[in-house]
DNA sequence: TCTGGGGTCCTAGGACCC
DNA sequence: TCTGGGGTCCTAGGACCC
């Protein structure tokens, strides 16, 4: 075991991680200044806290808490529905600001990202630390929200840095400080160490990230495979995970699930929910010009036990209705009459670019084309008038069912873009296609 | 944190082929 | 017919992330 394993160079690579502080709530406060300093949460549409402002967190309100409970803790709580369009707009601006400093920016999620500043000191006539601090200041002055920033030699270390002080924190970990920093870092803070890994490492007597990083590399690899070896290197300051600039433009799988507020044992209701999941998943799939070869269905019971089935389709499919018979079949096999369920889920796997149409041996191409044309027309209508304006007939059940009144509430659209959906404005009723 | 919704990657093991 | 070695592909399931 080496006595001092970490690099002493300050920044052979300079990578920052930035993380929006209570991002959704902060954006709401930025748009609605009267909410500043107030306990604000988002997630009204689901009845669960999606994001809590720091004022709300101070009152013991956190993500995942039910709205009921939250309001009991704080009757003055300001509860807002999530407004993803506006959050995305802020997100985009945040990344654009980062790109003023370097083209190497990774949009890791809506509210956090990485940027590789390596080699750009001369361009900006300043140190890495100063660049990172300027970036942080730009965000605050231009967007009126704060980010916490970590600067170090690798993505893993930068991420530890940005978590170290929050909100609006700044933590730089140059090479010479790595060892001391890791001594202060419990294992579960490390990006990639989940509960199982932490439990395993604890068995070996490890407590801090430093305990891990001073073990021999082979030990790390033997115990935890590839990821174990990579994290070992990252924590010691060798950059193994590159900052990924390419925008994500495709998916390997698309899934949709929905938990009903009250579990149900009504097969028609559960089927309708499942069909709605399928429609939503297919809409997203077609938006990315993909088609599917494998479909999975999962039902979760009231007691959280779940079973699922999966099938390979005989040809790749892009039209929702074409997959309904297969989904129905799986549903029939899975559902137990009299059992209460709380969640339906569909997974579209084996996605591929939607190109040349394939036909089955005994399938009439004209029929396939017709269904395809109908499907495109439905997409066009929904694009124009709002999602699920036109949907498959089983959903009819949902509109008649009071349990789902929540689904029909007008979706709150971006405060900046304004307005209800066109369908709502024009008072067009929802329409349904026979399956 | 008793459980929301959406993803990715890795590994072990089986099937199949030469 | 048995034996052995080696490669590839696919799948299921685990673990982790936001």
């Amino acid at each position: 075991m080496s006595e001092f394993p970490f690099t002493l160079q300050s920044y052979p690579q300079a990578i920052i991680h930035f993380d929006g502080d209570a991002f959704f709530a902060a954006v709401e406060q930025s748009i609605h200044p009267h909410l500043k300093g107030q306990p604000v949460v988002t997630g009204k549409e689901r009845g669960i806290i999606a994001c809590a402002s720091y004022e709300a967190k101070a009152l013991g309100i956190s993500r995942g808490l039910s709205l009921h409970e939250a309001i009991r803790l704080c009757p003055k709580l300001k509860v807002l529905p999530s407004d993803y369009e506006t959050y995305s707009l802020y997100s985009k601006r945040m990344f654009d600001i980062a790109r003023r400093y370097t083209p190497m920016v990774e949009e890791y999620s809506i509210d956090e990202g990485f940027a590789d500043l390596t080699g750009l000191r001369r361009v900006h006539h300043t140190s890495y630390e100063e660049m990172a601090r300027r970036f942080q200041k730009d965000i605050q002055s231009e967007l009126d929200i704060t980010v916490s920033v970590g600067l170090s030699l690798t993505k893993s270390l930068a991420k530890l840095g940005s978590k170290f002080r929050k909100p609006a924190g700044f933590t730089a970990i140059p090479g010479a400080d790595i060892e001391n920093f890791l001594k202060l870092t419990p294992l579960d803070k490390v990006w990639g160490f989940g509960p199982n890994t932490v439990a395993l490492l604890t068995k070996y007597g490890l407590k801090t990230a430093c305990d891990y990083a001073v073990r021999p590399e082979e030990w790390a690899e033997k115990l935890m495979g590839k990821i174990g070896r990579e994290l070992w290197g990252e924590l010691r300051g060798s950059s193994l995970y590159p900052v990924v600039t390419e925008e994500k433009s495709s998916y390997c799988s698309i899934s949709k699930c929905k938990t009903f507020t009250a579990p149900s044992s009504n097969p028609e209701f559960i089927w309708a929910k499942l069909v709605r999941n399928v429609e939503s998943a297919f809409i997203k799939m077609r938006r990315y010009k993909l088609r599917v070869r494998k479909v999975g269905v999962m039902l979760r019971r009231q007691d959280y036990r779940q079973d699922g089935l999966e099938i390979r389709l005989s040809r790749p499919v892009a039209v929702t209705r074409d997959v309904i018979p297969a989904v129905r079949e799986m549903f029939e096999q899975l559902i137990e009459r009299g059992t209460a369920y709380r969640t339906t889920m569909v997974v579209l796997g084996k996605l591929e670019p939607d190109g040349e149409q394939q036909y089955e041996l005994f399938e009439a191409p004209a029929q396939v084309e017709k269904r395809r044309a109908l499907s495109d027309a439905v997409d066009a209508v929904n694009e124009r008038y709002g999602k699920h304006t036109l949907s498959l007939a089983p959903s009819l059940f949902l509109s008649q069912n009071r349990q789902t009144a929540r689904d029909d509430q007008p979706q709150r659209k971006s405060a900046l873009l304004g307005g209800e959906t066109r369908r709502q404005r024009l008072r067009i009723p929802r329409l349904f296609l026979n399956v």
Side-chain angles (χ1 to χ4, degrees):
Chain A
M1 206 176 295
S2 47
E3 62 291 352
F4 196 81
F6 308 105
T7 179
L8 284 174
Q9 289 182 68
S10 287
Y11 297 105
Q13 314 266 335
I15 293 171
I16 60 170
H17 177 257
F18 48 97
D19 194 351
D21 300 315
F23 187 69
F24 295 175
V27 169
E28 296 289 357
Q29 288 174 322
S30 162
I31 294 174
H32 311 291
H34 67 276
L35 294 177
K36 288 204 174 142
Q38 308 245 14
V40 174
V41 299
T42 66
K44 185 174 186 175
E45 72 288 347
R46 282 199 293 145
I48 292 173
I49 310 287
C51 179
S53 72
Y54 277 84
E55 297 83 359
K57 284 181 185 174
L59 300 170
I61 291 165
S62 59
R63 242 175 82 92
L65 200 65
S66 81
L67 229 41
H68 263 315
E69 190 65 13
I71 290 169
R72 201 181 56 76
L73 285 170
C74 172
K76 280 171 51 192
L77 194 64
K78 301 279 190 288
V79 182
L80 302 171
S82 302
D83 175 8
Y84 288 96
E85 286 180 44
T86 304
Y87 308 153
S88 302
L89 218 61
Y90 268 71
S91 174
K92 183 174 179 309
R93 291 192 199 159
M94 178 172 79
F95 291 115
D96 284 344
I97 291 173
R99 276 187 278 267
R100 300 210 293 247
Y101 290 86
T102 167
M104 298 281 285
V105 173
E106 175 174 341
E107 302 187 11
Y108 186 71
S109 74
I110 191 165
D111 67 341
E112 64 181 278
F114 295 92
D116 188 339
L117 305 178
T118 309
L120 291 165
R121 281 174 297 194
R122 211 168 288 178
V123 178
H124 296 282
H125 306 290
T126 185
S127 66
Y128 291 131
E129 296 202 5
E130 184 54 30
M131 284 167 68
R133 285 185 186 279
R134 281 186 199 167
F135 160 70
Q136 186 177 32
K137 232 186 256 166
D138 291 349
I139 298 277
Q140 191 153 6
S141 61
E142 294 177 37
L143 300 186
D144 196 19
I145 61 172
T146 63
V147 289
S148 296
V149 175
L151 163 68
S152 192
L153 288 66
T154 70
K155 285 170 88 171
S156 300
L157 289 169
K159 202 155 173 14
L160 285 177
S162 70
K163 264 200 289 196
F164 189 65
R165 269 186 282 265
K166 264 184 150 299
F170 181 90
T171 304
I173 313 166
D177 293 351
I178 294 176
E179 183 167 28
N180 284 330
F181 190 86
L182 293 188
K183 283 180 180 161
L184 300 174
T185 305
L187 289 170
D188 65 344
K189 299 283 185 225
V190 176
W191 187 33
F193 285 173
N196 288 286
T197 306
V198 171
L200 176 67
L201 294 176
T202 304
K203 279 209 182 77
Y204 284 89
L206 275 59
K207 288 192 177 62
T208 68
C210 188
D211 295 339
Y212 182 76
V214 297
R215 290 283 174 132
E217 182 172 15
E218 305 73 46
W219 181 86
E221 173 153 27
K222 211 163 101 189
L223 203 65
M224 290 163 47
K226 186 179 168 194
I227 292 189
R229 175 172 42 81
E230 289 170 347
L231 287 178
W232 180 88
E234 281 262 316
L235 290 176
R236 295 163 62 104
S238 21
S239 180
L240 295 164
Y241 297 136
V243 171
V244 179
T245 314
E246 300 87 59
E247 210 177 316
K248 178 177 177 68
S249 62
S250 194
Y251 289 90
C252 297
S253 71
I254 289 174
S255 63
K256 287 284 172 192
C257 66
K258 182 79 188 165
T259 300
F260 339 131
T261 19
S264 165
S265 49
N266 178 342
E268 284 313 309
F269 175 76
I270 299 165
W271 169 244
K273 283 293 194 182
L274 183 59
V275 170
R276 180 54 65 97
N277 289 155
V278 174
E279 286 187 286
S280 300
F282 267 71
I283 287 168
K284 179 167 175 182
M285 181 183 77
R286 285 193 295 263
R287 199 164 56 229
Y288 285 90
K289 306 252 181 292
L290 299 168
R291 59 189 186 190
V292 59
R293 275 189 176 276
K294 217 169 78 176
V295 178
V297 168
M298 189 275 294
L299 300 180
R300 181 180 288 150
R301 300 162 197 244
Q302 184 164 21
D303 61 9
Y304 288 96
R305 282 189 304 141
Q306 58 185 55
D307 4 52
L309 283 173
E310 206 178 56
I311 59 148
R312 238 194 138 74
L313 302 169
S314 50
R315 66 171 169 85
V317 165
V319 174
T320 314
R321 287 202 305 166
D322 290 357
V323 85
I324 293 295
V327 172
R328 180 77 204 192
E329 207 170 297
M330 287 188 276
F331 176 76
E332 291 295 344
Q333 279 186 50
L334 285 173
I335 192 137
E336 280 176 22
R337 312 277 150 172
T339 303
Y341 292 89
R342 65 169 69 238
T343 306
T344 59
M345 169 151 113
V346 62
V347 184
L348 311 184
K350 292 258 173 233
L351 299 178
E352 56 178 46
D354 185 18
E356 192 81 345
Q357 182 67 59
Q358 287 184 20
Y359 304 106
E360 272 183 84
L361 201 46
F362 300 106
E363 204 169 34
Q367 286 298 314
V368 176
E369 291 301 335
K370 235 164 131 178
R371 288 202 299 271
R372 182 55 188 259
L374 176 60
S375 166
D376 289 345
V378 169
D379 280 351
V381 168
N382 286 332
E383 182 68 29
R384 186 174 165 110
Y385 293 101
K387 201 171 165 189
H388 299 306
T389 294
L390 256 174
S391 51
L392 298 180
S395 312
L396 190 53
F397 188 88
L398 298 179
S399 291
Q400 294 167 339
N401 198 305
R402 301 170 98 218
Q403 250 179 317
T404 59
R406 178 189 305 274
D407 282 354
D408 280 328
Q409 275 174 11
Q411 286 175 322
R412 179 165 169 268
K413 298 286 266 189
S414 157
L416 299 181
L417 303 172
E420 43 192 355
T421 68
R422 218 177 153 102
R423 178 183 68 78
Q424 287 155 356
R425 208 162 51 239
L426 300 177
R427 308 228 177 278
I428 298 173
R430 289 168 185 272
L431 299 171
F432 301 92
L433 290 174
N434 234 322
V435 182

